[in-house]
Amino acid sequence: MGQGVTTSLPMLLAENSSDWTKIRFEFAPADKAYINQLFGLQGTGGSSSVRAAWKPLREAGARAGAPC
């Protein structure tokens, strides 16, 4: 959706993961499950994806693999 989101979000996930090469990016389908909490709708803008998703992605990465 936004510029750079295909790099920044996987990087947040991989921050605590053991192997960056195992991270894959896929755009989310249109669904209420993917609503951006800052906008209240599914969309990006003004780096909102990083602001809204940094914590859950870092936590998911930490649960998925051991720190580097």
Side-chain angles (χ1 to χ4, degrees):
M1 295 181 94
Q3 294 180 359
V5 75
T6 60
T7 301
S8 57
L9 297 183
M11 285 175 68
L12 287 167
L13 182 65
E15 181 103 1
N16 291 320
S17 180
S18 58
D19 190 354
W20 165 257
T21 63
K22 294 182 180 177
I23 305 295
R24 298 289 180 257
F25 182 89
E26 183 177 321
F27 281 104
D31 191 290
K32 289 181 182 181
Y34 305 111
I35 289 177
N36 181 318
Q37 298 301 313
L38 297 175
F39 289 156
L41 51 86
Q42 188 173 345
T44 64
S47 300
S48 65
S49 295
V50 172
R51 290 188 322 224
W54 74 269
K55 187 174 181 180
L57 286 174
R58 296 265 331 254
E59 291 170 354
R63 286 192 302 269
C68 296

